[in-house]
Amino acid sequence: MIRYLLRRTAILLVSLSAAAVVLFVLLRLLPGDPANALLPVGATAEQIEAARRELGTDAPLLSQFFSWLGDVVTFDLGKSLVSTLPVGDEIAARLPVTVPLTLAAFTLAVLIAVPVGVLAAARADRWYGPVINAVAQLGIAVPAFWVGLLLITVFALNLQVLPAGGFPPGGWSDPGAAIEALVLPVVTVALVMSASLIRYVRSATLDVLGADYLRTARALGASSSQAMWRHGLRNAAVPVIAVLAMELATTFLGAVVVESVFALPGLGGMLVRGISQHDYPVIQGIMLVSTATVLVVGFLGDLAQRLVDPRLLHRSTS
Amino acid sequence: MSRRRSLHLAAGLLLVAVVVGGVLLSYLWLPFAPDDTSGGRLAPPGGDHLLGTDKLGRDLFTQLLIGGRIAIGTALGAVTVGGVLGVSFGLVAGFATRWLDDAAAVLLDILIAFPTLLLAMLIVAGAGASLATAVIAIGLAMAAVVARLTRVLVKQILARDYITAARVAGISWPRIVVSHVLPNIAPTVSVNLALQAGLAVLAEASLSYLGLGTPPPNASWGRMLYEAQATVLVAPVAALAPGIALVALVIGVNLTADGLRDFTDPRRSR
């Protein structure tokens, strides 16, 4: 386990630095000069030159990269070109919206998908097996923002039981209002996420149901639900955990879009604003934070997979 | 072929055909000119205006048909960009030496760690919001996924005996690619591309909804939904129709891909 942990940590560090390089190169390759964001239309060549010097974009690429990397390692993500406030501070201020939204939506999606997926596999011959399949198929084709719009229409505008959007200005100092504001966004993201999760859980369960060890357990006198609880779930969990780690990342992205539907002051709104204002430090900061999150979650997912199935540790590489 | 899968294929093709039919129709005939506001603001469905009008008085059914052009165009454009780039890169990586191939694999894994929509947003940030930018951005994100799949498939095929036999017979690598490698990877890659086409349609709609895709006055379904959100209580149809069209097209594409899988993998048919 220790050897694996060291290897996997090394891979994580390599991918993190590679991701930083890719992100840096991508943003520099893009057409459009960040200096333009600072200047009015029709600025003179001297003004552009001055703005570039101020931003440091006139320096050679390699030195730009290392100075940026140096800042990032010390958690300095630069300043917004538009508001001139530190990007790191604004990201930190917005995490209390995005993180609870992502985690709650992910938890709810798992709570929906695992029992429903297992049921769809174990009772494929009953009427609800195909029905669950059809609903899941529908679910993966529905855009998250449309689900949000429909939920707002029904629960906020027609029934008026929940707010249509926004977040209490005091944030979590009024927990009741904060939770109320997050209910519909969480349900929106969770519904969309659970559709694809159900399909994974179902196929993992189907694989396990046909396995010899379940038949053996049954032959030794275990009831079908005992066999499933003791042997089936743990085996079915292995592929599902790998998918879960990826899905957590996707949930985060779903949250980015859904935040815009509900006008929540989270990372999503910040990213969309940054893009439309060509605010490169903001875009770079959010992309870096989200890519790092994706990679770290993948790392934790791999570790969890090996805890559930120690056989993987003895198998070849990665 | 199993009955369930042929049913999927038929239902999928039917849904896609309805949308494509609407798009073709839109080039021959439109109920109103796209900028015709003679119907008055927020007219209810029925009468001249099948789905009513939007808050500027434009006919919604006309916009829905035009939105179909954008959706189908995105799907075709992104699949072309993603398919050509992805397959080429995957082929090169599959043939490359060990060291170069490892580097390509790591690069692809990192690119795939950026979700499609984030990558597309990043490109829109630099190039500005337009349909072409959105299509290229989505196509590029798709290319990474296609390249990873192609690379794995190419490696599997290159290990086969018939490739060695072809080499021994003195056939050149380019000819082996054309006559052995490409035909063997084509079925799996096309099913994957079909699935990606559905995702591309959803990604374009999300970008347009966020105001980062097709700029106005072009009626992308995502934009139509964004505009309908403010008036959903007065004009619910405006918030339903584009969503239903989107879901129908994506389900159609997904079901078609699912049904096609039978042709690509005979072992799967039961």
Side-chain angles (χ1 to χ4, degrees):
Chain A
M1 187 72 196
I2 298 215
R3 243 189 85 209
Y4 174 77
L5 201 63
L6 287 176
R7 249 184 69 86
R8 191 63 187 77
T9 311
I11 294 178
L12 175 69
L13 291 177
V14 170
S15 348
L16 277 175
S17 9
V21 175
V22 169
L23 194 57
F24 182 84
V25 171
L26 266 181
L27 272 171
R28 289 303 176 284
L29 278 181
L30 290 172
D33 188 336
N36 287 341
L38 282 181
L39 297 168
V41 182
T44 61
E46 290 83 51
Q47 281 177 309
I48 294 178
E49 207 45 52
R52 284 196 183 140
R53 247 197 316 282
E54 195 184 321
L55 292 173
T57 49
D58 60 336
L61 271 188
L62 211 59
S63 76
Q64 278 188 48
F65 176 71
F66 281 111
S67 86
W68 175 67
L69 202 62
D71 289 345
V72 166
V73 195
T74 53
F75 295 102
D76 177 4
L77 295 174
K79 284 183 176 140
S80 159
L81 298 181
V82 178
S83 68
T84 67
L85 296 171
V87 172
D89 291 358
E90 195 181 348
I91 290 181
R94 282 164 177 266
L95 286 180
V97 176
T98 303
V99 170
L101 170 58
T102 307
L103 290 183
F106 180 72
T107 313
L108 185 59
V110 172
L111 287 180
I112 297 173
V114 170
V116 172
V118 170
L119 199 70
R123 300 279 181 270
D125 48 341
R126 305 277 182 83
W127 62 268
Y128 40 83
V131 169
I132 293 172
N133 271 341
V135 172
Q137 183 88 29
L138 185 75
I140 56 167
V142 178
F145 61 86
W146 193 47
V147 176
L149 206 166
L150 295 179
L151 288 179
I152 290 177
T153 310
V154 174
F155 292 99
L157 301 177
N158 277 322
L159 301 177
Q160 306 201 334
V161 285
L162 288 163
F167 200 66
W172 286 95
S173 57
D174 182 357
I179 289 172
E180 251 183 17
L182 285 181
V183 171
L184 284 183
V186 164
V187 173
T188 303
V189 180
L191 281 180
V192 173
M193 291 320 306
S194 59
S196 55
L197 263 182
I198 286 174
R199 289 158 60 95
Y200 288 117
V201 173
R202 178 177 163 272
S203 75
T205 314
L206 276 180
D207 286 347
V208 169
L209 281 178
D212 290 340
Y213 54 78
L214 266 201
R215 203 184 48 200
T216 310
R218 295 276 285 126
L220 289 172
S223 75
S224 79
S225 56
Q226 273 176 333
M228 198 61 206
W229 276 108
R230 275 198 211 142
H231 307 282
L233 278 181
R234 185 155 168 162
N235 277 289
V238 176
V240 171
I241 287 176
V243 170
L244 280 182
M246 273 164 53
E247 292 289 295
L248 183 57
T250 323
T251 313
F252 174 76
L253 184 77
V256 164
V257 178
V258 170
E259 276 174 12
S260 296
V261 180
F262 291 93
L264 289 174
L267 284 185
M270 185 178 168
L271 180 64
V272 172
R273 198 201 63 212
I275 289 172
S276 43
Q277 294 177 338
H278 296 270
D279 196 341
Y280 284 78
V282 167
I283 304 170
Q284 211 164 22
I286 296 180
M287 293 296 229
L288 193 71
V289 168
S290 49
T291 316
T293 313
V294 170
L295 290 171
V296 170
V297 168
F299 169 76
L300 294 176
D302 274 3
L303 290 191
Q305 216 178 354
R306 269 144 192 91
L307 287 179
V308 174
D309 187 355
R311 287 171 301 181
L312 287 174
L313 278 176
H314 304 294
R315 255 173 235 170
S316 58
T317 50
S318 74
Chain B
M1 186 192 288
S2 73
R3 241 187 75 224
R4 193 174 66 85
R5 278 186 193 272
S6 48
L7 206 69
H8 279 191
L9 189 60
L13 286 175
L14 182 73
L15 285 171
V16 175
V18 168
V19 178
V20 172
V23 170
L24 293 178
L25 175 74
S26 80
Y27 285 104
L28 299 172
W29 171 84
L30 282 171
F32 289 88
D35 52 359
D36 182 349
T37 55
S38 62
R41 294 174 181 203
L42 296 171
D48 282 349
H49 298 278
L50 194 60
L51 298 176
T53 60
D54 69 3
K55 59 177 179 241
L56 297 174
R58 295 172 299 182
D59 181 53
L60 276 172
F61 187 59
T62 306
Q63 290 195 51
L64 195 70
L65 290 177
I66 292 178
R69 293 181 192 170
I70 294 174
I72 297 284
T74 306
L76 293 179
V79 163
T80 310
V81 173
V84 170
L85 288 180
V87 170
S88 320
F89 192 85
L91 268 178
V92 172
F95 271 96
T97 52
R98 178 80 200 278
W99 185 87
L100 201 65
D101 178 48
D102 283 348
V106 171
L107 180 72
L108 288 177
D109 278 346
I110 292 167
L111 279 179
I112 290 169
F114 289 101
T116 304
L117 206 55
L118 274 193
L119 204 61
M121 283 178 169
L122 194 68
I123 296 174
V124 169
S130 79
L131 179 58
T133 314
V135 168
I136 292 173
I138 295 167
L140 284 177
M142 190 191 287
V145 180
V146 176
R148 182 158 73 168
L149 176 69
T150 307
R151 180 184 154 270
V152 173
L153 291 173
V154 168
K155 285 201 141 341
Q156 281 170 3
I157 286 165
L158 287 182
R160 296 282 171 80
D161 288 340
Y162 59 77
I163 299 290
T164 319
R167 280 303 285 163
V168 171
I171 298 172
S172 67
W173 280 122
R175 268 205 61 194
I176 290 181
V177 170
V178 173
S179 54
H180 294 295
V181 178
L182 285 180
N184 276 302
I185 65 169
T188 315
V189 171
S190 15
V191 168
N192 188 263
L193 281 177
L195 283 174
Q196 300 279 334
L199 294 177
V201 171
L202 285 179
E204 193 280 327
S206 303
L207 280 178
S208 292
Y209 177 85
L210 295 174
L212 303 173
T214 322
N218 294 304
S220 157
W221 289 337
R223 263 198 67 77
M224 290 177 72
L225 287 172
Y226 171 74
E227 285 171 6
Q229 188 168 353
T231 56
V232 63
L233 280 187
V234 203
V237 176
L240 285 176
I244 293 171
L246 253 177
V247 173
L249 177 60
V250 176
I251 287 190
V253 170
N254 286 349
L255 286 178
T256 308
D258 197 36
L260 282 178
R261 211 168 280 174
D262 252 14
F263 293 109
T264 69
D265 188 357
R267 280 165 302 176
R268 269 179 161 265
S269 54
R270 262 167 266 164

